[in-house]
Amino acid sequence: MTLPENELRLSDAETGAPMVVIGLDDRAGLPDLQTRLRELGFMEGEPVCVLRRGQPGGEPLAVRIGASTFALRRIEAACVRVAARHGA
Amino acid sequence: MSALPIDSSRLAPPMLALVGNPNCGKTALFNLLTGSHQKVANYAGVTVERKEGWLRTPAGRRLAVLDLPGTYSLAPNSPDEQVTCDVLAGRLPGERRPDLVLAVVDATQLARQLRLVLGLRRLGLPLVVVLNMTDIARARGVDVDVEALSRALGVPVVSTVAVRGGGADALFSLLDAALPSAPPAASAGSVADDYRQVKDILTTLGLDRVPAHAFTDRADRVLLHPLVGPLLLFALLFLIFQAVFAWAEAPMGWIESATALLGDAVGRVLPDGLLRSLLADGLIAGLGGVLVFLPQIVILFFFILVLEESGYLPRAAFLLDRLMGGVGLSGRAFIPLLSSFACAIPGIMATRTIQNPRDRWVTIMIAPLMTCSARLPVYALLIGAFIPARRVAGGLELQGLVLFALYLAGIVSAVLVAWLLKRLGSKDRQHTLLMELPDYHWPSLRNLAIGLWQRVLIFLQRVGGIILALTVLLWFLASFPGAPADFAGAPIEYSFAGRLGHFLLPLFEPIGFNWQIAVALVPGMAAREVAVSALGTVYALSATADDTAQALVPLIVAGWSLPTALSLLAWYVFAPQCLSTLATVRRETGGWSAPLLMAGYLFALAYAASFVTYRIALACCP
């Protein structure tokens, strides 16, 4: 699925760049992931930022959402659609 | 059981249930409320840890407190969360529904945690919100207006500092007041509605912008650094194993002297005979040989508890996630596997947080390869006896180095087994991580002390229970039937145990074990550390009547070759199973195939490793 021009997947977001959650996608093989991400605060309009990435391979991602930090694998972060947050 | 119908609800004290997100300081609050009045067990039918305690309010009312497993929501994702939801709904057989729910909320994580509170409010149970970690929140400029929050939520709110004595005084006095009336029960709301409602409340209270924990961010820049992070983790684990040996030396000496004194005293007081043999050879030599490892177990648990309490453990899982993913495991498997260093049983139980069934199965299969603390007595005995206590390569203790190598051998083989299982398994699965990295905080001394005390108690109960029983049984087998007067060898060789040892010898001789070791391995199946007490008993009875209860170390140094000792060390890296681990695996996987496969493959690995070690050692140092 291609994304609108200004959107990207959280897994592709630049480390340290302030983003905002646009929406969540379902993903085959990961049932309930969307619900769980929502419960943890990945809601439309919420500021989000990739704090750092593990090595090698840029995985896993440490993601700041609200006041919390979560570790996600790339495949999980790819379910979150984000856009750059301006004025942050 | 009485046949009369008794209304037990009138007799039992009212029950409070602590509910909250993981890492909200719930267990610290539980410790503060109940102190040492705690009982740790399992929920009926499931292996979820059940922690209950009781407290007395300032007015003298006795209340039961249940520490429910942490959960992010009331839509359960794991067996742990299922228990919490079922207890709250009054659905779990054998559990009464709590009379009052204490929703524990980390004041620095209000947004996420208040959404759970909204869910709890719909249960139709009396509810009090306990705003925890208010000291940390205030230090970060988050000052919560408790009154306003209480008005907004429509339930009582009290603020606590669970890591400080007296930090729950407000809660205690609230518990003496009448129960708050229950909010009306309602059906589950949507995540989006709850999200908006919490956002509105926080905006009204001026709490919608909570700064991140600056120290955590600074620390993570180093501790999660792609290069420095893993190096620090490795150094930390290395230090822990050095400390296990270096710090335990003195207290182990005291326990040894006390055991020897006691053995001597019994030998002097009692006349030569069966009773003296049972006490001195069976009980004192056997149990003393295990008790001596208590200091090392305490030190190991101390470090595991500190890592757990401080919030570092999930970081270690983060650092190792790639490595774990490479062999087909979830990074989440790290925490169960690390717990397995203490004991495989809680480790296997902790795999319930892994959602993918196949990931979970692989993690269970390799959990026993993590060197559990029950193996520590065996390692410590053999290392102490056969590895010289000197410093090598710039001040490193050789004994600690060998211990580290043994732990490493377990880890490396676990990686290989997991990799093999991945190759044999299907390819179409997704691995998930999704794990919170909580803010760092100083572990509280009280929580460390209570946690350590519970572990010590479990160890002592094992020493007093299964180890005691097996020691007496082994003493019996090793003492009867008594040898006739004209029997040439030591009397034990004539006994049941001696015959069993000689019967098993052809199986174990190729890997360098003598018949005494073969005898000790049999009760060692029930609990690994029993092997040490068994060796103590076997050798005490092999000796002449005069030097009973003598320390085991000089006896085995005289009796075994270095290749035999190394071979036994290699054997215990894989140590075919304690029965309680196999029983736990059966319960957790719901069948016999997993425990049987596990026992089989561990036995094969142990035998192969010992064989190779023995042959190489023989060739190198004949």
Side-chain angles (χ1 to χ4, degrees):
Chain A
M1 189 176 71
T2 51
L3 294 174
E5 201 176 306
N6 58 335
E7 288 181 23
L8 66 163
R9 305 204 169 273
L10 183 61
S11 47
D12 300 326
E14 201 182 310
T15 305
M19 310 299 259
V20 60
V21 177
I22 301 291
L24 300 177
D25 291 336
D26 270 322
R27 180 160 194 120
L30 293 174
D32 310 326
L33 179 64
Q34 220 193 95
T35 319
R36 272 190 294 141
L37 285 171
R38 279 174 192 277
E39 283 165 2
L40 298 180
F42 287 87
M43 298 293 291
E44 290 78 359
E46 190 74 19
V48 64
C49 175
V50 177
L51 294 181
R52 52 186 53 83
R53 288 177 155 86
Q55 284 302 331
E59 211 176 7
L61 294 83
V63 174
R64 168 71 39 84
I65 181 88
S68 322
T69 313
F70 286 92
L72 281 79
R73 283 195 173 161
R74 240 192 340 245
I75 187 165
E76 294 165 305
C79 298
V80 184
R81 279 180 285 121
V82 296
R85 173 157 46 107
H86 299 291
Chain B
M1 287 259 93
S2 164
L4 290 170
I6 290 175
D7 181 10
S8 63
S9 63
R10 282 209 210 137
L11 300 174
M15 168 89 83
L16 318 179
L18 295 179
V19 189
N21 277 193
N23 310 307
C24 67
K26 192 165 54 67
T27 300
L29 183 68
F30 179 70
N31 287 341
L32 183 62
L33 290 177
T34 61
S36 55
H37 310 299
Q38 299 187 8
K39 205 171 68 194
V40 183
N42 277 343
Y43 287 96
V46 282
T47 46
V48 175
E49 193 170 82
R50 180 184 189 280
K51 287 173 91 173
E52 193 187 326
W54 60 269
L55 62 87
R56 212 173 272 291
T57 65
R61 286 174 62 193
R62 187 182 158 120
L63 301 172
V65 189
L66 191 61
D67 186 13
L68 288 171
T71 181
Y72 287 110
S73 81
L74 293 177
N77 271 311
S78 69
D80 276 42
E81 297 184 3
Q82 186 74 52
V83 163
T84 300
C85 298
D86 287 351
V87 170
L88 290 174
R91 272 197 305 254
L92 196 68
E95 290 293 330
R96 54 196 173 109
R97 202 171 183 210
D99 301 292
L100 173 67
V101 175
L102 297 179
V104 187
V105 168
D106 172 358
T108 64
Q109 302 281 352
L110 279 176
R112 166 157 53 84
Q113 313 218 346
L114 285 182
R115 291 197 286 272
L116 178 64
V117 172
L118 294 187
L120 292 171
R121 206 173 60 174
R122 288 188 287 261
L123 287 171
L125 286 173
L127 175 70
V128 170
V129 171
V130 181
L131 198 61
N132 201 12
M133 304 196 187
T134 43
D135 56 334
I136 300 174
R138 199 163 298 132
R140 274 195 240 166
V142 180
D143 218 338
V144 183
D145 182 344
V146 171
E147 301 266 303
L149 183 62
S150 171
R151 272 197 305 277
L153 290 169
V155 295
V157 178
V158 288
S159 101
T160 58
V161 180
V163 292
R164 193 190 302 150
D169 286 349
L171 178 57
F172 271 111
S173 37
L174 186 124
L175 292 177
D176 266 330
L179 279 186
S181 56
S187 53
S190 83
V191 179
D193 286 346
D194 284 358
Y195 174 81
R196 263 191 298 279
Q197 201 180 338
V198 167
K199 210 172 172 76
D200 287 347
I201 291 175
L202 292 180
T203 312
T204 316
L205 295 176
L207 295 171
D208 51 335
R209 281 262 171 265
V210 176
H213 191 207
F215 174 80
T216 295
D217 279 356
R218 270 202 312 275
D220 274 348
R221 225 166 281 156
V222 179
L223 293 175
L224 292 185
H225 186 277
L227 191 68
V228 181
L231 283 178
L232 283 173
L233 172 62
F234 194 76
L236 187 68
L237 294 176
F238 187 81
L239 270 178
I240 291 174
F241 294 121
Q242 288 277 315
V244 162
F245 258 81
W247 297 358
E249 217 169 291
M252 287 175 77
W254 305 332
I255 297 177
E256 264 170 3
S257 329
T259 311
L261 278 178
L262 200 63
D264 283 352
V266 168
R268 259 195 318 271
V269 172
L270 291 178
D272 198 7
L274 272 186
L275 183 63
R276 172 169 143 188
S277 171
L278 172 64
L279 284 178
D281 302 335
L283 290 183
I284 297 174
L287 295 185
V290 179
L291 265 186
V292 74
F293 299 103
L294 184 62
Q296 294 184 325
I297 288 167
V298 167
I299 293 170
L300 183 67
F301 271 117
F302 168 78
F303 281 108
I304 291 183
L305 282 171
V306 168
L307 293 185
E308 202 177 319
E309 281 261 312
S310 63
Y312 182 73
L313 269 196
R315 265 77 181 185
F318 181 93
L319 290 171
L320 294 173
D321 186 62
R322 277 297 288 183
L323 192 67
M324 311 277 271
V327 297
L329 287 172
S330 156
R332 274 174 181 261
F334 173 74
I335 294 169
L337 290 179
L338 190 79
S339 315
S340 302
F341 280 107
C343 174
I345 294 166
I348 288 166
M349 284 162 59
T351 60
R352 276 175 281 106
T353 58
I354 302 172
Q355 275 104 358
N356 183 311
R358 169 125 187 132
D359 274 15
R360 183 166 172 239
W361 186 83
V362 175
T363 311
I364 288 176
M365 282 317 245
I366 63 170
L369 290 174
M370 303 298 124
T371 304
C372 67
S373 55
R375 260 173 276 192
L376 202 52
V378 184
Y379 284 174
L381 173 76
L382 295 177
I383 292 175
F386 288 94
I387 309 294
R390 61 183 157 93
R391 296 184 176 273
V392 292
L396 295 174
E397 261 191 70
L398 183 62
Q399 293 188 333
L401 214 57
V402 171
L403 184 69
F404 188 69
L406 289 168
Y407 275 76
L408 210 60
I411 296 168
V412 169
S413 43
V415 167
L416 291 177
V417 171
W419 180 79
L420 205 69
L421 289 173
K422 181 195 174 191
R423 290 290 302 264
L424 298 173
S426 59
K427 302 266 185 293
D428 59 329
R429 53 211 175 92
Q430 310 276 15
H431 296 283
T432 60
L433 181 61
L434 200 54
M435 168 184 70
E436 187 179 357
L437 301 174
D439 290 342
Y440 290 106
H441 57 258
W442 283 110
S444 96
L445 278 179
R446 185 190 309 105
N447 291 331
L448 285 182
I450 289 180
L452 264 184
W453 175 239
Q454 282 168 351
R455 296 331 192 268
V456 168
L457 219 55
I458 290 169
F459 178 75
L460 292 179
Q461 278 164 355
R462 278 167 73 86
V463 170
I466 187 162
I467 299 179
L468 176 72
L470 288 168
T471 303
V472 172
L473 178 69
L474 190 74
W475 170 83
F476 174 80
L477 289 177
S479 303
F480 295 96
D486 57 343
F487 188 71
I492 187 177
E493 292 192 54
Y494 193 81
S495 69
F496 293 121
R499 291 175 207 190
L500 180 68
H502 284 293
F503 174 75
L504 290 173
L505 198 55
L507 178 64
F508 289 112
E509 213 166 17
I511 57 175
F513 294 179
N514 58 19
W515 66 267
Q516 288 97 332
I517 300 179
V519 171
L521 287 181
V522 175
M525 277 291 288
R528 291 187 184 92
E529 63 269 47
V530 173
V532 171
S533 67
L535 280 172
T537 302
V538 168
Y539 273 99
L541 286 172
S542 309
T544 50
D546 301 325
D547 56 5
T548 48
Q550 193 190 335
L552 187 52
V553 170
L555 288 173
I556 62 172
V557 169
W560 299 0
S561 65
L562 181 63
T564 292
L566 293 178
S567 168
L568 189 56
L569 279 175
W571 175 269
Y572 266 94
V573 170
F574 305 100
Q577 280 326 302
C578 62
L579 293 177
S580 15
T581 302
L582 290 174
T584 308
V585 172
R586 201 203 79 84
R587 205 171 40 182
E588 291 285 321
T589 58
W592 280 108
S593 61
L596 286 178
L597 179 67
M598 181 185 269
Y601 102 81
L602 286 174
F603 186 87
L605 273 183
Y607 198 89
S610 287
F611 187 82
V612 171
T613 308
Y614 184 60
R615 295 293 148 182
I616 292 178
L618 268 188
C620 294
C621 43

